[in-house]
Amino acid sequence: MFVLGGSASNGLDIPISELLGATRAQLVTTSFPDGEIKVRVPEEVGGDIVVVQSTYQPQERHLFELLLISDHLRHRGYEVTAVVPYLGYARQDKSFIPGEAVSIHTVLNMMRCAGIKKLVTVNPHKEDSLRHFQGEVAIVNAVAALANKVKDMVRDPFVLAPDAGGLELARKAAELLGCEYANIDKKRDSEGKVSIVGTHGSGFGGKDVVIFDDIISTGGTIELAARFAYGMGARSVCAAGVHLVMAGGAKERLKNANITTLFGTNTVPCSDAQIVDISPEIAACLR
Amino acid sequence: MFVLGGSASNGLDIPISELLGATRAQLVTTSFPDGEIKVRVPEEVGGDIVVVQSTYQPQERHLFELLLISDHLRHRGYEVTAVVPYLGYARQDKSFIPGEAVSIHTVLNMMRCAGIKKLVTVNPHKEDSLRHFQGEVAIVNAVAALANKVKDMVRDPFVLAPDAGGLELARKAAELLGCEYANIDKKRDSEGKVSIVGTHGSGFGGKDVVIFDDIISTGGTIELAARFAYGMGARSVCAAGVHLVMAGGAKERLKNANITTLFGTNTVPCSDAQIVDISPEIAACLR
């Protein structure tokens, strides 16, 4: 088995190849002066091939690099397994307004056309959206790894899901931490402004609240939840996200909301956070 | 017929729809906070659909937007005609070193998978590379439009191709301008450094030399040719390129080489150049 890491593998190709006892082949990825990606796959690569490439920002560029590598190997006669730790463009999984393009459909269609026969990813925004992939899918759930890290560092946890959609993740995390959990109830006014109406679940006064979410993007959701938790008497509030996307101003927003610690995984590069290596769980899907 | 312009149409959807008497439909293209593209195609769009989207820098983002629009329309039951005035990723049209991914193959494969049934483009780097597209192809040659513009502004022209590969374009331009032409002969030393060994063609002392090329990227090729032409006694040197890609420092480079005027088409946005509108030639391929 060969493991290839693209420029957005975030270093995960190294532990994955080691855990599998596979050969890590060195891709040569450069850019032309006009920015176009040039990639070379060593000639000895063949047989079972795993390509590791996350699709964080710039998402289209990282996706295209993956398609370029896979499609090239398809021409050489091989269909590959793609490990895409963070699967970008997965949140637009339906037309919220008629006529909206459903980006996850296009991403999955392009991947299949490029010769990706199996897709391995970590906590996609909605698992159900991956049924559109015309190949095999394996989904890694990072919540246990993340909860273990939180357990080491948080004294008296209480898990909070920032909205009703995150309840399942919170329930699982709370079970692993042996603590209680709740979710926040939000409402959206006619102008789209979100406010909190309360929680479903028992009180968390005096507790160390851990807000669990799949993706932390702008941090706006976490900020709102943290202010609410402090308002309800939380002793401390930290945040745990599988994918620390951290778009425009997210770090500042979390700091202003007095988030004491940020936990995440290495599906996306992020500094100033407690990072859990998710490669063992990924490698388990490749055996 | 409906004409849709993507965010990299460079305004070409407007004259194209007018020339065809087609309805121009307004795409709603926005970005999520993490940079992901969101696009909405009005519900009334159907039947014969033309999507206009160039793929200049950032190439992958503009390409993905085109794929998103086309693939969405494929789900609605329509295969589209894509007008891609500048086709990025076309220069890597073979493996120069074994193992190199051939990006134009991947781009064409993705386009077909996204439901593009016909591709219209302007002077692709090598026409032959488009035979890999599993649909219909129409190629616009911008040289006549470009030569007409040059004719209006250059007194005593002499057409120069910056290398042997550009000879056909130069020959055509010279024919239209009613002037002589030549190509530069270059050699590449063991370190990849390019130098000029002479020209094939008659002298151009005292003439207004026009360097013709398909793509002006870094401007390095044009700079070298211009210095050579001035050295051989040219009265003035200007440059004409179909696609003014103008990557890192190109403007400065052309200025330093005393290029008096830069001519180009509107396949790529470029300021400080004499721009020819190529939409009539494109519209002719859509009738």
Side-chain angles (χ1 to χ4, degrees), chain B residues 49-83:
Chain B
I49 306 168
V50 174
V51 182
V52 184
Q53 173 82 335
S54 219
T55 54
Y56 47 79
Q57 212 164 4
Q59 296 88 341
E60 310 83 20
R61 188 167 169 86
H62 292 146
L63 173 64
F64 186 70
E65 186 185 332
L66 171 63
L67 298 174
L68 209 49
I69 297 164
S70 309
D71 195 49
H72 167 73
L73 285 164
R74 188 177 65 86
H75 274 91
R76 273 160 66 167
Y78 305 105
E79 289 207 319
V80 306
T81 294
V83 172

PDB file of all heavy atoms in Angstrom, chain B residues 49-83:
ATOM      1  N   ILE B  49     -28.977  26.419 -22.451  1.00  0.00           N
ATOM      2  CA  ILE B  49     -28.325  27.261 -21.446  1.00  0.00           C
ATOM      3  C   ILE B  49     -26.839  27.411 -21.774  1.00  0.00           C
ATOM      4  O   ILE B  49     -26.148  26.432 -22.027  1.00  0.00           O
ATOM      5  CB  ILE B  49     -28.466  26.667 -20.020  1.00  0.00           C
ATOM      6  CG1 ILE B  49     -29.942  26.405 -19.705  1.00  0.00           C
ATOM      7  CG2 ILE B  49     -27.855  27.601 -18.977  1.00  0.00           C
ATOM      8  CD1 ILE B  49     -30.165  25.564 -18.453  1.00  0.00           C
ATOM      9  N   VAL B  50     -26.375  28.668 -21.753  1.00  0.00           N
ATOM     10  CA  VAL B  50     -24.963  28.976 -21.963  1.00  0.00           C
ATOM     11  C   VAL B  50     -24.424  29.576 -20.664  1.00  0.00           C
ATOM     12  O   VAL B  50     -24.989  30.551 -20.157  1.00  0.00           O
ATOM     13  CB  VAL B  50     -24.782  29.989 -23.117  1.00  0.00           C
ATOM     14  CG1 VAL B  50     -23.329  30.415 -23.242  1.00  0.00           C
ATOM     15  CG2 VAL B  50     -25.283  29.406 -24.435  1.00  0.00           C
ATOM     16  N   VAL B  51     -23.369  28.990 -20.129  1.00  0.00           N
ATOM     17  CA  VAL B  51     -22.735  29.526 -18.919  1.00  0.00           C
ATOM     18  C   VAL B  51     -21.396  30.136 -19.328  1.00  0.00           C
ATOM     19  O   VAL B  51     -20.569  29.455 -19.936  1.00  0.00           O
ATOM     20  CB  VAL B  51     -22.513  28.436 -17.850  1.00  0.00           C
ATOM     21  CG1 VAL B  51     -21.900  29.034 -16.589  1.00  0.00           C
ATOM     22  CG2 VAL B  51     -23.813  27.717 -17.524  1.00  0.00           C
ATOM     23  N   VAL B  52     -21.206  31.423 -19.018  1.00  0.00           N
ATOM     24  CA  VAL B  52     -19.965  32.109 -19.376  1.00  0.00           C
ATOM     25  C   VAL B  52     -19.106  32.256 -18.125  1.00  0.00           C
ATOM     26  O   VAL B  52     -19.521  32.895 -17.150  1.00  0.00           O
ATOM     27  CB  VAL B  52     -20.250  33.507 -19.978  1.00  0.00           C
ATOM     28  CG1 VAL B  52     -18.949  34.163 -20.432  1.00  0.00           C
ATOM     29  CG2 VAL B  52     -21.240  33.415 -21.137  1.00  0.00           C
ATOM     30  N   GLN B  53     -17.950  31.653 -18.141  1.00  0.00           N
ATOM     31  CA  GLN B  53     -17.060  31.716 -16.975  1.00  0.00           C
ATOM     32  C   GLN B  53     -15.632  31.477 -17.445  1.00  0.00           C
ATOM     33  O   GLN B  53     -15.282  30.389 -17.904  1.00  0.00           O
ATOM     34  CB  GLN B  53     -17.470  30.650 -15.939  1.00  0.00           C
ATOM     35  CG  GLN B  53     -16.540  30.500 -14.752  1.00  0.00           C
ATOM     36  CD  GLN B  53     -16.764  31.530 -13.642  1.00  0.00           C
ATOM     37  OE1 GLN B  53     -17.267  32.626 -13.887  1.00  0.00           O
ATOM     38  NE2 GLN B  53     -16.383  31.205 -12.439  1.00  0.00           N
ATOM     39  N   SER B  54     -14.783  32.491 -17.326  1.00  0.00           N
ATOM     40  CA  SER B  54     -13.369  32.335 -17.632  1.00  0.00           C
ATOM     41  C   SER B  54     -12.703  31.650 -16.436  1.00  0.00           C
ATOM     42  O   SER B  54     -13.286  31.604 -15.345  1.00  0.00           O
ATOM     43  CB  SER B  54     -12.768  33.724 -17.878  1.00  0.00           C
ATOM     44  OG  SER B  54     -11.831  33.705 -18.924  1.00  0.00           O
ATOM     45  N   THR B  55     -11.526  31.101 -16.631  1.00  0.00           N
ATOM     46  CA  THR B  55     -10.865  30.444 -15.492  1.00  0.00           C
ATOM     47  C   THR B  55      -9.463  31.004 -15.279  1.00  0.00           C
ATOM     48  O   THR B  55      -8.485  30.270 -15.215  1.00  0.00           O
ATOM     49  CB  THR B  55     -10.861  28.902 -15.632  1.00  0.00           C
ATOM     50  OG1 THR B  55     -10.296  28.541 -16.900  1.00  0.00           O
ATOM     51  CG2 THR B  55     -12.255  28.351 -15.538  1.00  0.00           C
ATOM     52  N   TYR B  56      -9.426  32.341 -15.173  1.00  0.00           N
ATOM     53  CA  TYR B  56      -8.177  33.008 -14.776  1.00  0.00           C
ATOM     54  C   TYR B  56      -8.027  32.901 -13.258  1.00  0.00           C
ATOM     55  O   TYR B  56      -8.880  32.318 -12.580  1.00  0.00           O
ATOM     56  CB  TYR B  56      -8.153  34.462 -15.272  1.00  0.00           C
ATOM     57  CG  TYR B  56      -9.412  35.265 -15.016  1.00  0.00           C
ATOM     58  CD1 TYR B  56      -9.677  35.803 -13.758  1.00  0.00           C
ATOM     59  CD2 TYR B  56     -10.338  35.490 -16.034  1.00  0.00           C
ATOM     60  CE1 TYR B  56     -10.824  36.543 -13.522  1.00  0.00           C
ATOM     61  CE2 TYR B  56     -11.487  36.238 -15.810  1.00  0.00           C
ATOM     62  CZ  TYR B  56     -11.721  36.762 -14.550  1.00  0.00           C
ATOM     63  OH  TYR B  56     -12.865  37.487 -14.315  1.00  0.00           O
ATOM     64  N   GLN B  57      -6.959  33.458 -12.730  1.00  0.00           N
ATOM     65  CA  GLN B  57      -6.628  33.344 -11.311  1.00  0.00           C
ATOM     66  C   GLN B  57      -7.722  33.938 -10.410  1.00  0.00           C
ATOM     67  O   GLN B  57      -8.201  35.024 -10.738  1.00  0.00           O
ATOM     68  CB  GLN B  57      -5.315  34.068 -11.042  1.00  0.00           C
ATOM     69  CG  GLN B  57      -4.509  33.434  -9.938  1.00  0.00           C
ATOM     70  CD  GLN B  57      -3.044  33.881  -9.915  1.00  0.00           C
ATOM     71  OE1 GLN B  57      -2.629  34.717 -10.683  1.00  0.00           O
ATOM     72  NE2 GLN B  57      -2.270  33.317  -9.033  1.00  0.00           N
ATOM     73  N   PRO B  58      -8.131  33.312  -9.301  1.00  0.00           N
ATOM     74  CA  PRO B  58      -7.725  31.971  -8.859  1.00  0.00           C
ATOM     75  C   PRO B  58      -8.454  30.896  -9.676  1.00  0.00           C
ATOM     76  O   PRO B  58      -9.652  30.711  -9.545  1.00  0.00           O
ATOM     77  CB  PRO B  58      -8.156  31.944  -7.387  1.00  0.00           C
ATOM     78  CG  PRO B  58      -9.265  32.954  -7.284  1.00  0.00           C
ATOM     79  CD  PRO B  58      -9.031  33.979  -8.348  1.00  0.00           C
ATOM     80  N   GLN B  59      -7.685  30.187 -10.474  1.00  0.00           N
ATOM     81  CA  GLN B  59      -8.224  29.281 -11.481  1.00  0.00           C
ATOM     82  C   GLN B  59      -9.149  28.209 -10.896  1.00  0.00           C
ATOM     83  O   GLN B  59     -10.216  27.925 -11.460  1.00  0.00           O
ATOM     84  CB  GLN B  59      -7.079  28.567 -12.224  1.00  0.00           C
ATOM     85  CG  GLN B  59      -6.163  29.460 -13.041  1.00  0.00           C
ATOM     86  CD  GLN B  59      -4.992  30.029 -12.251  1.00  0.00           C
ATOM     87  OE1 GLN B  59      -4.999  30.065 -11.029  1.00  0.00           O
ATOM     88  NE2 GLN B  59      -3.965  30.468 -12.944  1.00  0.00           N
ATOM     89  N   GLU B  60      -8.734  27.604  -9.787  1.00  0.00           N
ATOM     90  CA  GLU B  60      -9.500  26.474  -9.235  1.00  0.00           C
ATOM     91  C   GLU B  60     -10.849  26.959  -8.724  1.00  0.00           C
ATOM     92  O   GLU B  60     -11.846  26.259  -8.811  1.00  0.00           O
ATOM     93  CB  GLU B  60      -8.741  25.811  -8.072  1.00  0.00           C
ATOM     94  CG  GLU B  60      -7.299  25.468  -8.380  1.00  0.00           C
ATOM     95  CD  GLU B  60      -6.351  26.635  -8.199  1.00  0.00           C
ATOM     96  OE1 GLU B  60      -6.714  27.600  -7.491  1.00  0.00           O
ATOM     97  OE2 GLU B  60      -5.247  26.598  -8.781  1.00  0.00           O
ATOM     98  N   ARG B  61     -10.845  28.177  -8.160  1.00  0.00           N
ATOM     99  CA  ARG B  61     -12.088  28.734  -7.619  1.00  0.00           C
ATOM    100  C   ARG B  61     -13.064  29.047  -8.751  1.00  0.00           C
ATOM    101  O   ARG B  61     -14.245  28.716  -8.681  1.00  0.00           O
ATOM    102  CB  ARG B  61     -11.759  29.998  -6.818  1.00  0.00           C
ATOM    103  CG  ARG B  61     -12.939  30.556  -6.051  1.00  0.00           C
ATOM    104  CD  ARG B  61     -12.463  31.602  -5.051  1.00  0.00           C
ATOM    105  NE  ARG B  61     -13.570  32.329  -4.484  1.00  0.00           N
ATOM    106  CZ  ARG B  61     -14.268  31.939  -3.421  1.00  0.00           C
ATOM    107  NH1 ARG B  61     -13.950  30.815  -2.813  1.00  0.00           N
ATOM    108  NH2 ARG B  61     -15.281  32.664  -2.971  1.00  0.00           N
ATOM    109  N   HIS B  62     -12.562  29.648  -9.820  1.00  0.00           N
ATOM    110  CA  HIS B  62     -13.424  29.967 -10.958  1.00  0.00           C
ATOM    111  C   HIS B  62     -13.901  28.698 -11.654  1.00  0.00           C
ATOM    112  O   HIS B  62     -15.044  28.618 -12.100  1.00  0.00           O
ATOM    113  CB  HIS B  62     -12.696  30.920 -11.909  1.00  0.00           C
ATOM    114  CG  HIS B  62     -12.490  32.280 -11.314  1.00  0.00           C
ATOM    115  ND1 HIS B  62     -11.397  33.066 -11.557  1.00  0.00           N
ATOM    116  CD2 HIS B  62     -13.272  32.990 -10.464  1.00  0.00           C
ATOM    117  CE1 HIS B  62     -11.521  34.203 -10.880  1.00  0.00           C
ATOM    118  NE2 HIS B  62     -12.636  34.175 -10.214  1.00  0.00           N
ATOM    119  N   LEU B  63     -13.018  27.713 -11.740  1.00  0.00           N
ATOM    120  CA  LEU B  63     -13.408  26.428 -12.327  1.00  0.00           C
ATOM    121  C   LEU B  63     -14.479  25.765 -11.469  1.00  0.00           C
ATOM    122  O   LEU B  63     -15.488  25.282 -11.988  1.00  0.00           O
ATOM    123  CB  LEU B  63     -12.182  25.510 -12.441  1.00  0.00           C
ATOM    124  CG  LEU B  63     -12.459  24.076 -12.878  1.00  0.00           C
ATOM    125  CD1 LEU B  63     -13.017  24.039 -14.301  1.00  0.00           C
ATOM    126  CD2 LEU B  63     -11.187  23.227 -12.794  1.00  0.00           C
ATOM    127  N   PHE B  64     -14.280  25.762 -10.165  1.00  0.00           N
ATOM    128  CA  PHE B  64     -15.244  25.086  -9.287  1.00  0.00           C
ATOM    129  C   PHE B  64     -16.607  25.764  -9.378  1.00  0.00           C
ATOM    130  O   PHE B  64     -17.642  25.094  -9.365  1.00  0.00           O
ATOM    131  CB  PHE B  64     -14.741  25.057  -7.837  1.00  0.00           C
ATOM    132  CG  PHE B  64     -15.641  24.244  -6.937  1.00  0.00           C
ATOM    133  CD1 PHE B  64     -15.695  22.861  -7.062  1.00  0.00           C
ATOM    134  CD2 PHE B  64     -16.461  24.861  -6.008  1.00  0.00           C
ATOM    135  CE1 PHE B  64     -16.551  22.113  -6.257  1.00  0.00           C
ATOM    136  CE2 PHE B  64     -17.313  24.117  -5.207  1.00  0.00           C
ATOM    137  CZ  PHE B  64     -17.356  22.739  -5.327  1.00  0.00           C
ATOM    138  N   GLU B  65     -16.619  27.079  -9.479  1.00  0.00           N
ATOM    139  CA  GLU B  65     -17.898  27.799  -9.623  1.00  0.00           C
ATOM    140  C   GLU B  65     -18.621  27.331 -10.889  1.00  0.00           C
ATOM    141  O   GLU B  65     -19.833  27.082 -10.872  1.00  0.00           O
ATOM    142  CB  GLU B  65     -17.644  29.312  -9.660  1.00  0.00           C
ATOM    143  CG  GLU B  65     -18.927  30.126  -9.671  1.00  0.00           C
ATOM    144  CD  GLU B  65     -18.666  31.623  -9.825  1.00  0.00           C
ATOM    145  OE1 GLU B  65     -17.589  32.088  -9.417  1.00  0.00           O
ATOM    146  OE2 GLU B  65     -19.551  32.313 -10.370  1.00  0.00           O
ATOM    147  N   LEU B  66     -17.872  27.196 -11.983  1.00  0.00           N
ATOM    148  CA  LEU B  66     -18.456  26.708 -13.241  1.00  0.00           C
ATOM    149  C   LEU B  66     -19.007  25.292 -13.074  1.00  0.00           C
ATOM    150  O   LEU B  66     -20.115  24.972 -13.543  1.00  0.00           O
ATOM    151  CB  LEU B  66     -17.389  26.742 -14.348  1.00  0.00           C
ATOM    152  CG  LEU B  66     -17.753  26.080 -15.677  1.00  0.00           C
ATOM    153  CD1 LEU B  66     -18.945  26.788 -16.329  1.00  0.00           C
ATOM    154  CD2 LEU B  66     -16.551  26.074 -16.624  1.00  0.00           C
ATOM    155  N   LEU B  67     -18.252  24.435 -12.394  1.00  0.00           N
ATOM    156  CA  LEU B  67     -18.685  23.055 -12.173  1.00  0.00           C
ATOM    157  C   LEU B  67     -19.946  23.010 -11.307  1.00  0.00           C
ATOM    158  O   LEU B  67     -20.865  22.228 -11.552  1.00  0.00           O
ATOM    159  CB  LEU B  67     -17.562  22.236 -11.524  1.00  0.00           C
ATOM    160  CG  LEU B  67     -16.272  22.082 -12.337  1.00  0.00           C
ATOM    161  CD1 LEU B  67     -15.194  21.386 -11.514  1.00  0.00           C
ATOM    162  CD2 LEU B  67     -16.509  21.334 -13.646  1.00  0.00           C
ATOM    163  N   LEU B  68     -19.973  23.885 -10.306  1.00  0.00           N
ATOM    164  CA  LEU B  68     -21.113  23.970  -9.377  1.00  0.00           C
ATOM    165  C   LEU B  68     -22.390  24.347 -10.141  1.00  0.00           C
ATOM    166  O   LEU B  68     -23.438  23.720  -9.968  1.00  0.00           O
ATOM    167  CB  LEU B  68     -20.775  25.048  -8.350  1.00  0.00           C
ATOM    168  CG  LEU B  68     -21.318  24.992  -6.938  1.00  0.00           C
ATOM    169  CD1 LEU B  68     -21.120  23.637  -6.308  1.00  0.00           C
ATOM    170  CD2 LEU B  68     -20.611  26.059  -6.086  1.00  0.00           C
ATOM    171  N   ILE B  69     -22.276  25.355 -10.998  1.00  0.00           N
ATOM    172  CA  ILE B  69     -23.431  25.825 -11.776  1.00  0.00           C
ATOM    173  C   ILE B  69     -23.886  24.726 -12.748  1.00  0.00           C
ATOM    174  O   ILE B  69     -25.069  24.393 -12.829  1.00  0.00           O
ATOM    175  CB  ILE B  69     -23.062  27.111 -12.560  1.00  0.00           C
ATOM    176  CG1 ILE B  69     -22.718  28.249 -11.606  1.00  0.00           C
ATOM    177  CG2 ILE B  69     -24.195  27.516 -13.514  1.00  0.00           C
ATOM    178  CD1 ILE B  69     -21.971  29.414 -12.267  1.00  0.00           C
ATOM    179  N   SER B  70     -22.937  24.148 -13.478  1.00  0.00           N
ATOM    180  CA  SER B  70     -23.267  23.151 -14.496  1.00  0.00           C
ATOM    181  C   SER B  70     -23.855  21.901 -13.864  1.00  0.00           C
ATOM    182  O   SER B  70     -24.849  21.347 -14.341  1.00  0.00           O
ATOM    183  CB  SER B  70     -22.016  22.771 -15.294  1.00  0.00           C
ATOM    184  OG  SER B  70     -21.373  23.919 -15.771  1.00  0.00           O
ATOM    185  N   ASP B  71     -23.227  21.460 -12.777  1.00  0.00           N
ATOM    186  CA  ASP B  71     -23.670  20.233 -12.119  1.00  0.00           C
ATOM    187  C   ASP B  71     -25.058  20.424 -11.513  1.00  0.00           C
ATOM    188  O   ASP B  71     -25.887  19.507 -11.529  1.00  0.00           O
ATOM    189  CB  ASP B  71     -22.648  19.849 -11.039  1.00  0.00           C
ATOM    190  CG  ASP B  71     -22.819  18.419 -10.554  1.00  0.00           C
ATOM    191  OD1 ASP B  71     -22.908  17.518 -11.407  1.00  0.00           O
ATOM    192  OD2 ASP B  71     -22.877  18.201  -9.334  1.00  0.00           O
ATOM    193  N   HIS B  72     -25.305  21.622 -11.009  1.00  0.00           N
ATOM    194  CA  HIS B  72     -26.641  21.928 -10.478  1.00  0.00           C
ATOM    195  C   HIS B  72     -27.681  21.838 -11.597  1.00  0.00           C
ATOM    196  O   HIS B  72     -28.755  21.244 -11.410  1.00  0.00           O
ATOM    197  CB  HIS B  72     -26.634  23.331  -9.856  1.00  0.00           C
ATOM    198  CG  HIS B  72     -28.003  23.848  -9.559  1.00  0.00           C
ATOM    199  ND1 HIS B  72     -28.773  23.372  -8.533  1.00  0.00           N
ATOM    200  CD2 HIS B  72     -28.744  24.794 -10.191  1.00  0.00           C
ATOM    201  CE1 HIS B  72     -29.935  24.004  -8.528  1.00  0.00           C
ATOM    202  NE2 HIS B  72     -29.942  24.874  -9.525  1.00  0.00           N
ATOM    203  N   LEU B  73     -27.347  22.403 -12.750  1.00  0.00           N
ATOM    204  CA  LEU B  73     -28.288  22.369 -13.882  1.00  0.00           C
ATOM    205  C   LEU B  73     -28.453  20.940 -14.404  1.00  0.00           C
ATOM    206  O   LEU B  73     -29.529  20.570 -14.874  1.00  0.00           O
ATOM    207  CB  LEU B  73     -27.827  23.334 -14.975  1.00  0.00           C
ATOM    208  CG  LEU B  73     -28.102  24.807 -14.603  1.00  0.00           C
ATOM    209  CD1 LEU B  73     -27.297  25.758 -15.480  1.00  0.00           C
ATOM    210  CD2 LEU B  73     -29.597  25.130 -14.706  1.00  0.00           C
ATOM    211  N   ARG B  74     -27.397  20.137 -14.319  1.00  0.00           N
ATOM    212  CA  ARG B  74     -27.485  18.728 -14.681  1.00  0.00           C
ATOM    213  C   ARG B  74     -28.535  18.031 -13.809  1.00  0.00           C
ATOM    214  O   ARG B  74     -29.342  17.242 -14.299  1.00  0.00           O
ATOM    215  CB  ARG B  74     -26.107  18.064 -14.498  1.00  0.00           C
ATOM    216  CG  ARG B  74     -25.993  16.646 -15.020  1.00  0.00           C
ATOM    217  CD  ARG B  74     -24.570  16.121 -14.849  1.00  0.00           C
ATOM    218  NE  ARG B  74     -24.197  15.997 -13.450  1.00  0.00           N
ATOM    219  CZ  ARG B  74     -24.436  14.938 -12.681  1.00  0.00           C
ATOM    220  NH1 ARG B  74     -25.034  13.886 -13.188  1.00  0.00           N
ATOM    221  NH2 ARG B  74     -24.066  14.919 -11.411  1.00  0.00           N
ATOM    222  N   HIS B  75     -28.513  18.366 -12.494  1.00  0.00           N
ATOM    223  CA  HIS B  75     -29.531  17.799 -11.599  1.00  0.00           C
ATOM    224  C   HIS B  75     -30.936  18.258 -11.987  1.00  0.00           C
ATOM    225  O   HIS B  75     -31.910  17.555 -11.721  1.00  0.00           O
ATOM    226  CB  HIS B  75     -29.248  18.209 -10.139  1.00  0.00           C
ATOM    227  CG  HIS B  75     -28.299  17.287  -9.448  1.00  0.00           C
ATOM    228  ND1 HIS B  75     -26.940  17.492  -9.448  1.00  0.00           N
ATOM    229  CD2 HIS B  75     -28.511  16.130  -8.762  1.00  0.00           C
ATOM    230  CE1 HIS B  75     -26.363  16.502  -8.773  1.00  0.00           C
ATOM    231  NE2 HIS B  75     -27.287  15.673  -8.354  1.00  0.00           N
ATOM    232  N   ARG B  76     -31.013  19.450 -12.570  1.00  0.00           N
ATOM    233  CA  ARG B  76     -32.334  19.955 -12.998  1.00  0.00           C
ATOM    234  C   ARG B  76     -32.700  19.412 -14.373  1.00  0.00           C
ATOM    235  O   ARG B  76     -33.768  19.734 -14.892  1.00  0.00           O
ATOM    236  CB  ARG B  76     -32.312  21.495 -13.012  1.00  0.00           C
ATOM    237  CG  ARG B  76     -32.674  22.074 -11.647  1.00  0.00           C
ATOM    238  CD  ARG B  76     -32.227  23.486 -11.419  1.00  0.00           C
ATOM    239  NE  ARG B  76     -32.835  24.509 -12.241  1.00  0.00           N
ATOM    240  CZ  ARG B  76     -32.726  25.820 -11.993  1.00  0.00           C
ATOM    241  NH1 ARG B  76     -32.063  26.230 -10.913  1.00  0.00           N
ATOM    242  NH2 ARG B  76     -33.260  26.705 -12.778  1.00  0.00           N
ATOM    243  N   GLY B  77     -31.814  18.624 -14.961  1.00  0.00           N
ATOM    244  CA  GLY B  77     -32.153  17.963 -16.226  1.00  0.00           C
ATOM    245  C   GLY B  77     -31.576  18.614 -17.471  1.00  0.00           C
ATOM    246  O   GLY B  77     -31.960  18.255 -18.580  1.00  0.00           O
ATOM    247  N   TYR B  78     -30.632  19.559 -17.302  1.00  0.00           N
ATOM    248  CA  TYR B  78     -30.088  20.260 -18.463  1.00  0.00           C
ATOM    249  C   TYR B  78     -28.588  20.079 -18.589  1.00  0.00           C
ATOM    250  O   TYR B  78     -27.853  20.225 -17.617  1.00  0.00           O
ATOM    251  CB  TYR B  78     -30.388  21.768 -18.369  1.00  0.00           C
ATOM    252  CG  TYR B  78     -31.847  22.059 -18.189  1.00  0.00           C
ATOM    253  CD1 TYR B  78     -32.338  22.465 -16.951  1.00  0.00           C
ATOM    254  CD2 TYR B  78     -32.743  21.905 -19.237  1.00  0.00           C
ATOM    255  CE1 TYR B  78     -33.694  22.705 -16.762  1.00  0.00           C
ATOM    256  CE2 TYR B  78     -34.104  22.145 -19.070  1.00  0.00           C
ATOM    257  CZ  TYR B  78     -34.571  22.546 -17.828  1.00  0.00           C
ATOM    258  OH  TYR B  78     -35.908  22.778 -17.645  1.00  0.00           O
ATOM    259  N   GLU B  79     -28.137  19.805 -19.805  1.00  0.00           N
ATOM    260  CA  GLU B  79     -26.707  19.850 -20.086  1.00  0.00           C
ATOM    261  C   GLU B  79     -26.425  21.212 -20.720  1.00  0.00           C
ATOM    262  O   GLU B  79     -27.199  21.679 -21.552  1.00  0.00           O
ATOM    263  CB  GLU B  79     -26.305  18.709 -21.020  1.00  0.00           C
ATOM    264  CG  GLU B  79     -26.374  17.357 -20.303  1.00  0.00           C
ATOM    265  CD  GLU B  79     -25.425  16.333 -20.903  1.00  0.00           C
ATOM    266  OE1 GLU B  79     -25.319  16.287 -22.146  1.00  0.00           O
ATOM    267  OE2 GLU B  79     -24.793  15.591 -20.141  1.00  0.00           O
ATOM    268  N   VAL B  80     -25.333  21.830 -20.325  1.00  0.00           N
ATOM    269  CA  VAL B  80     -25.093  23.221 -20.732  1.00  0.00           C
ATOM    270  C   VAL B  80     -23.941  23.349 -21.732  1.00  0.00           C
ATOM    271  O   VAL B  80     -23.123  22.442 -21.895  1.00  0.00           O
ATOM    272  CB  VAL B  80     -24.780  24.118 -19.501  1.00  0.00           C
ATOM    273  CG1 VAL B  80     -25.876  23.990 -18.441  1.00  0.00           C
ATOM    274  CG2 VAL B  80     -23.415  23.804 -18.917  1.00  0.00           C
ATOM    275  N   THR B  81     -23.916  24.512 -22.372  1.00  0.00           N
ATOM    276  CA  THR B  81     -22.757  24.921 -23.150  1.00  0.00           C
ATOM    277  C   THR B  81     -21.940  25.846 -22.253  1.00  0.00           C
ATOM    278  O   THR B  81     -22.483  26.802 -21.699  1.00  0.00           O
ATOM    279  CB  THR B  81     -23.193  25.683 -24.415  1.00  0.00           C
ATOM    280  OG1 THR B  81     -23.899  24.772 -25.266  1.00  0.00           O
ATOM    281  CG2 THR B  81     -21.998  26.244 -25.168  1.00  0.00           C
ATOM    282  N   ALA B  82     -20.675  25.548 -22.105  1.00  0.00           N
ATOM    283  CA  ALA B  82     -19.821  26.413 -21.279  1.00  0.00           C
ATOM    284  C   ALA B  82     -18.928  27.250 -22.189  1.00  0.00           C
ATOM    285  O   ALA B  82     -18.211  26.705 -23.029  1.00  0.00           O
ATOM    286  CB  ALA B  82     -18.963  25.583 -20.336  1.00  0.00           C
ATOM    287  N   VAL B  83     -19.005  28.561 -22.013  1.00  0.00           N
ATOM    288  CA  VAL B  83     -18.071  29.459 -22.688  1.00  0.00           C
ATOM    289  C   VAL B  83     -16.980  29.778 -21.675  1.00  0.00           C
ATOM    290  O   VAL B  83     -17.246  30.405 -20.642  1.00  0.00           O
ATOM    291  CB  VAL B  83     -18.769  30.748 -23.158  1.00  0.00           C
ATOM    292  CG1 VAL B  83     -17.742  31.746 -23.666  1.00  0.00           C
ATOM    293  CG2 VAL B  83     -19.804  30.440 -24.238  1.00  0.00           C
TER     294      VAL B  83
END
